[in-house]
Each structure stands twice: as structure tokens, then as C-alpha cells.
Amino acid sequence: MEKPTIKICYEKTIIMSKPILGIIGGGQLGSLLSVAAKKLGIKTIILSDDPDAPAQYFADVFICGNYHDKKNINDFTKLVDIVTYEFENIPFEILDSIHKTKNILPKPEINKLIQNRISEKKFLNSNKIQTTKYSLIKDKNDIIENKNLLPGLLKTTTLGYDGKGQFKINNINEIDDNIDFSKEYILEKFVDLQKEISLVITRFDKNQYEIYNPIENIHENQILKYSTIPADISEDIKKQAIKWAEYIAEKLNYIGTLCVEYFIDTNNNLYANEIAPRVHNSGHLTINAYNISQFENHIRAVCNFKKIETKQLYNARMINLIGEDILEYRNKKLDKNVFFYDYLKKEIKNKRKMGHVTIIE
Ligand code: AMP
């Protein structure tokens, strides 16, 4: 096994007046959280296993090393007062070991529940929140026995995102021979999509929320491409989406920002697709469209700051810059209402989110 390396790549003097926030994960969400923290005078320490993690350019301290290395985790834990995370695929055992000495928000149990698509859907359904019909799949035969779910999408129960680990199956004659059944899958009935929306909410305490207006999302190749606020939806759907998100946050006793991704089908039925126990890509436009962004509210909630009334200032659109899309914007002169964010990723890769643009209206 490759020997883990630990390196503190970048450090500044830390003044201990406000809590020091540890963030696990060093992608763009970690960067944008660090920027929001800085605005509130909070220092951030990023822990990432990627030496090129872009958040190192925005945080106060960057610790780079293997998540499974106990010494590395101890170094990180000693330096921070409170911990949050920017991606959900962190083994429960690691979060739980940190949580023994330092508070992690959202709580590790919440992340564990949401990490697995089956336990996530069971939780939603047990709270009378509609999801698409689904079944646990362990082998090809399970798919045949659940042919009522076809056409459907076969997804790995854990670790999949942006369409990774997903297979569309139209009928039982079309089961891809390359499916690796050493992993567990969920087969979800394919929803005839009218549109997709997301609901970003920050919970501070019992019945204490700030809720962003529903955001309308367009995916290309299962990756989010465009987000618009407010979503063009009926009042009934809006109310239902907000009610379910509040209910989820309350039931989980959640502290911080979470996002519920919804499907609306062609008959105007609402389905919860996923819960993201973190800030969300569709919420990037809240930086420019609101007085307080999803990132700032997350920091405020986990650091026990005062809740401030969150108001929408502008309608807005966000475009994700994927792969070489970024090149067009790097030297472009932009209008005053256009805000460009470059994630400073070292390498441009196909399907990699390299930056985003928000246009306020
Ligand atoms: P997910 O990984 O579950 O977030 O799925 C990524 C994207 O794939 C979603 O945003 C949808 O555009 C599409 N998708 C996922 N599941 C379904 C489904 N059951 N029916 C229709 N489209 C889906």
C-alpha cells in the first residue's frame, strides 16, 4: 500500500479569538466555504488527500494526507475547534473518531444515513416523502424480478455522483454485461422528468431556518449545467418542496446547510431524489443573488453565530464551466452583472467542474 504523506503546504498565523473551522475535503465547495468563513473572521483548516486540492489557495491552513492515516487525522483534529465537511463520501469511522474529541456538524450519523441511497430513500419514505419507486439489487436476477421498475436507472448504493456508476436499463434484454455485481445497486424507476429543482435550507436550531427559494436545474450528461432562481414552478409545488425540506432538516436534527434535490414529473408530481448534507452546486448563485449565501449561512450555523434574515436581492442564473468551458472566461471582459469563479484546478479534464459564472438580473 502506498505510504501516506502528510504535509502542511500553506500556513498563516492563527489568532484564537473565533472558532477555528476544520473542513474535510478540498474541492470548490471547500474553497467557497473558506471564503465565506474569512468574511466572518473565521480561520479555516482544510484536510484533503489531494495535493492539488484547490481549497488550499483559499484556506488558512492546508493539511494534505491520507484520510485513513490516524496521525494525519490527529494533527487536523488538534488544530481545529469544530469540523464540517464538503463531500459526503467520507467513511463513517473517520468522522466518528474525530467526533469523539471535536464536534462535527452535520453529525456523522446523518452523513452515514445519506451516504447510502437505500437508507436515504427508506428515511424519506418513512417520513411520507415521496421518492421514485426503487429496489435493492445484488445480481442480474434481482433486476429481472423487478422488471416493473424498468425503464430504470441502476445506481451504486454508495459513492456515485454526477452520473458515475449509473446504467440506464430500458428492458430485461438490455442489461449491460459490464455491471460489476460485487457492488450493491439500487434500481430506480425512471421518472418522466418535466424539470428538476433543488431546495437549499440552513437549519440553526429547532424550528430555526433560513430557506432559499427553489432553484431550477438543468443537467447535461447527468452533470449540473445550469441553475436559475427562482424556479418556474407552481405555488403548490414550491410549498411542498419547502415543507419537505424543513421536515427533513427537523427530523435529522440537522445543523448547517443542506440541499434537497427534487424531480417534477410530467404529471406535476414531486419526488425527492437526493439529500446533500452540505452546501450544494445549485446554491452557488446565492453568493450573488442573496444578502447571505448558502456558504455563509452554513458557517454561521455550525459556528453557532446569530441567524440573520436571508433575503433574495436578485434573480440569477448560474452556468457551470465544465472542462474546457473555463478557457473562454479566463481572459474575458465581463459585464457588471456577471461574476466569474475560477476554482484554480491544476488540470482541465473532460467532465470536471472547473468554475462557474453567475449572472444577476
Ligand atoms: P443522481 O446521481 O441521483 O443525482 O442523478 C443525476 C441525474 O440523473 C439527475 O439529476 C437526473 O437528471 C438523472 N436521474 C437520476 N435518477 C433519475 C430517475 N430515477 N429518473 C430520471 N432521471 C434520473
Side-chain angles (χ1 to χ4, degrees):
M1 212 180 93
E2 200 191 330
K3 205 165 165 246
T5 53
I6 305 168
K7 55 175 181 164
I8 297 192
C9 303
Y10 181 61
E11 194 163 358
K12 282 186 198 162
T13 322
I14 290 172
I15 304 158
M16 294 283 293
S17 57
K18 288 191 176 155
I20 294 175
L21 179 67
I23 301 173
I24 305 176
Q28 60 269 21
L29 298 178
S31 305
L32 295 166
L33 281 168
S34 296
V35 172
K38 195 164 283 175
K39 189 178 152 199
L40 297 171
I42 291 175
K43 307 283 179 188
T44 51
I45 300 183
I46 294 277
L47 172 67
S48 170
D49 60 359
D50 174 7
D52 297 328
Q56 66 187 284
Y57 308 118
F58 301 90
D60 294 278
V61 177
F62 176 54
I63 299 179
C64 181
N66 192 309
Y67 294 126
H68 294 273
D69 179 353
K70 282 208 175 97
K71 182 175 175 313
N72 199 18
I73 294 289
N74 284 343
D75 287 349
F76 171 73
T77 309
K78 266 190 228 143
L79 285 173
V80 300
D81 297 311
I82 186 151
V83 177
T84 191
Y85 41 93
E86 59 110 57
F87 72 113
E88 51 267 56
N89 293 330
I90 311 159
F92 173 74
E93 296 65 36
I94 293 173
L95 291 184
D96 197 45
S97 74
I98 298 173
H99 196 49
K100 289 198 167 68
T101 51
K102 296 284 162 73
N103 201 12
I104 299 196
L105 291 168
K107 297 254 183 280
E109 291 75 23
I110 297 178
N111 193 50
K112 188 179 178 189
L113 179 96
I114 291 169
Q115 265 175 349
N116 185 299
R117 290 185 192 270
I118 298 275
S119 56
E120 180 184 36
K121 282 205 168 41
K122 277 189 181 156
F123 162 76
L124 290 166
N125 292 160
S126 68
N127 286 296
K128 302 195 168 54
I129 294 172
Q130 178 166 252
T131 64
T132 177
K133 292 195 175 61
Y134 70 92
S135 180
L136 173 67
I137 300 292
K138 292 189 171 163
D139 53 35
K140 193 170 170 175
N141 209 32
D142 284 347
I143 301 179
I144 295 166
E145 279 178 13
N146 284 286
K147 62 175 185 292
N148 60 317
L149 296 176
L150 302 180
L153 264 187
L154 191 70
K155 307 177 180 177
T156 47
T157 52
T158 57
L159 297 177
Y161 67 97
D162 287 345
K164 291 186 178 116
Q166 299 189 4
F167 301 86
K168 171 102 194 277
I169 304 176
N170 289 317
N171 59 63
I172 50 170
N173 303 317
E174 246 188 43
I175 304 172
D176 193 328
D177 284 333
N178 296 319
I179 300 169
D180 168 12
F181 284 110
S182 65
K183 296 179 194 156
E184 269 187 0
Y185 292 85
I186 179 173
L187 179 61
E188 291 182 11
K189 190 156 178 69
F190 202 76
V191 175
D192 199 2
L193 291 175
Q194 178 196 137
K195 58 179 71 183
E196 295 186 64
I197 60 166
S198 52
L199 207 294
V200 177
I201 177 170
T202 309
R203 181 176 181 271
F204 287 76
D205 204 344
K206 196 171 187 311
N207 294 323
Q208 295 291 313
Y209 312 102
E210 286 301 330
I211 299 167
Y212 295 89
N213 274 323
I215 300 164
E216 188 164 333
N217 300 315
I218 295 178
H219 291 75
E220 280 180 7
N221 303 318
Q222 282 148 308
I223 303 176
L224 181 66
K225 182 67 186 167
Y226 305 102
S227 292
T228 307
I229 194 162
D232 181 16
I233 50 174
S234 69
E235 261 318 293
D236 284 354
I237 295 263
K238 178 176 171 179
K239 274 193 199 138
Q240 185 72 84
I242 291 176
K243 198 173 141 205
W244 280 350
E246 282 179 352
Y247 198 73
I248 290 166
E250 199 60 37
K251 268 278 161 184
L252 293 172
N253 201 10
Y254 194 93
I255 303 292
T257 296
L258 75 72
C259 175
V260 186
E261 294 175 29
Y262 291 107
F263 296 151
I264 304 170
D265 75 7
T266 43
N267 294 319
N268 259 336
N269 295 304
L270 186 67
Y271 305 86
N273 174 40
E274 281 189 337
I275 305 165
R278 54 171 170 79
V279 286
H280 191 260
N281 189 170
S282 63
H284 287 3
L285 45 64
T286 62
I287 299 172
N288 308 100
Y290 275 77
N291 62 335
I292 300 178
S293 72
Q294 62 162 353
F295 302 98
E296 182 175 336
N297 263 336
H298 184 70
I299 309 276
R300 285 184 172 278
V302 302
C303 294
N304 205 14
F305 275 38
K306 214 173 107 217
K307 180 173 96 61
I308 293 178
E309 193 188 346
T310 301
K311 291 184 211 143
Q312 191 182 329
L313 307 174
Y314 306 100
N315 291 344
R317 292 180 287 129
M318 191 254 350
I319 307 167
N320 261 343
L321 302 174
I322 296 164
E324 296 201 337
D325 293 353
I326 190 88
L327 297 175
E328 184 195 330
Y329 282 89
R330 281 201 168 138
N331 297 308
K332 194 171 175 173
K333 194 164 168 350
L334 301 170
D335 290 343
K336 270 199 197 130
N337 63 330
V338 180
F339 300 86
F340 168 51
Y341 298 81
D342 188 337
Y343 303 151
L344 307 180
K345 291 187 181 174
K346 207 171 166 190
E347 223 186 313
I348 297 180
K349 281 192 193 163
N350 201 10
K351 296 194 177 176
R352 176 178 269 186
K353 292 173 182 166
M354 299 297 299
H356 75 266
V357 184
T358 299
I359 301 132
I360 56 171
E361 273 143 15

